Amino acid sequence: NAGVTQTPKFQVLKTGQSMTLQCAQDMNHEYMSWYRQDPGMGLRLIHYSVGAGITDQGEVPNGYNVSRSTTEDFPLRLLSAAPSQTSVYFCASSYRGHYNYGYTFGSGTRLTVV
Amino acid sequence: KNQVEQSPQSLIILEGKNCTLQCNYTVSPFSNLRWYKQDTGRGPVSLTIMTFSENTKSNGRYTATLDADTKQSSLHITASQLSDSASYICVVSDNNDMRFGAGTRLTVKP
């Protein structure tokens, strides 16, 4: 099925470990973003990309890196995991201007850092 | 302070009943407002989008209203079903960003 695919769905990390959350979309969307969702808070933007080779920081970028080598893929890297990064992470994509076209979201990755 | 405030935080209703969820925002300038439905363990899915000139928009049993003067929106669910149990998220966009509310958690009980 077309859409946004995130892997893994669940992950437990030890403090200090690194890992990459994968995100792929097959809709030829230009915009891709990573959000984190914490209890009692709205989704917060970590990083986003307006096209292959272009990335920028969102509201809460510290501790995360991204790259966009292809239109389809937008991985999120945690450099040295901390308990504060325990959260549910969503990847989203949109055709051009996301604020007008809205996002298609992946199913999320639930990350626990112990 | 969040620029998008939703109320109530949670709501429990019986199957078949109606309910209304509220969204107040301070985002400016205003571009559009969306309501998303997020099932447990899933990503949000768009229900409706409203622009400045639209007062009401329906999607099946979901009806969204917008008062751009008072910066308020509501989502009314008619004849609720068990499958309506989910979080409902209000998202307000200016010309550059999307601001997410924390959501209202709706539980529909038989």
Side-chain angles (χ1 to χ4, degrees):
Chain A
N1 292 333
V4 178
T5 303
Q6 289 185 237
T7 57
K9 288 192 67 65
F10 302 94
Q11 184 70 49
V12 178
L13 286 179
K14 293 183 178 179
T15 298
Q17 287 185 317
S18 62
M19 78 160 294
T20 299
L21 279 62
Q22 301 291 343
C23 176
Q25 53 92 9
D26 57 3
M27 298 171 286
N28 202 31
H29 282 173
E30 296 179 2
Y31 276 71
M32 295 188 76
S33 299
W34 278 101
Y35 286 87
R36 60 179 288 173
Q37 186 175 40
D38 300 295
M41 302 181 70
L43 276 80
R44 292 182 293 170
L45 181 64
I46 304 171
H47 285 284
Y48 66 97
S49 168
V50 300
I54 305 170
T55 63
D56 208 343
Q57 296 181 350
E59 182 183 357
V60 288
N62 291 340
Y64 307 96
N65 273 357
V66 292
S67 60
R68 184 97 179 268
S69 57
T70 66
T71 299
E72 294 78 19
D73 299 300
F74 191 43
L76 177 72
R77 282 181 288 277
L78 278 70
L79 308 173
S80 178
S84 61
Q85 294 179 304
T86 293
S87 187
V88 181
Y89 292 85
F90 288 98
C91 178
S93 72
S94 174
Y95 175 69
R96 292 187 178 177
H98 56 288
Y99 43 88
N100 282 325
Y101 290 92
Y103 275 131
T104 298
F105 285 88
S107 294
T109 295
R110 183 173 293 276
L111 175 68
T112 302
V113 182
V114 298
Chain B
K1 178 170 166 49
N2 196 354
Q3 297 183 51
V4 180
E5 298 286 347
Q6 292 187 242
S7 61
Q9 285 188 327
S10 61
L11 182 63
I12 301 174
I13 62 173
L14 293 176
E15 186 179 12
K17 298 296 185 182
N18 304 336
C19 68
T20 300
L21 314 180
Q22 298 291 341
C23 174
N24 296 339
Y25 63 92
T26 59
V27 175
S28 182
F30 175 86
S31 177
N32 61 67
L33 184 148
R34 291 179 181 269
W35 284 94
Y36 282 84
K37 178 185 179 187
Q38 184 177 17
D39 293 315
T40 301
R42 308 291 294 178
V45 175
S46 181
L47 290 174
T48 65
I49 178 173
M50 303 184 73
T51 58
F52 184 86
S53 59
E54 297 175 299
N55 300 118
T56 303
K57 183 168 283 189
S58 293
N59 178 359
R61 294 178 297 101
Y62 301 100
T63 299
T65 65
L66 174 65
D67 185 334
D69 291 332
T70 62
K71 299 187 176 182
Q72 295 180 325
S73 176
S74 66
L75 180 68
H76 185 74
I77 304 175
T78 303
S80 60
Q81 301 176 358
L82 298 180
S83 59
D84 292 331
S85 292
S87 288
Y88 292 84
I89 301 172
C90 175
V91 184
V92 183
S93 298
D94 57 26
N95 292 330
N96 293 298
D97 283 319
M98 300 167 70
R99 298 294 182 181
F100 289 77
T104 292
R105 177 69 200 176
L106 175 65
T107 302
V108 181
K109 292 194 171 184

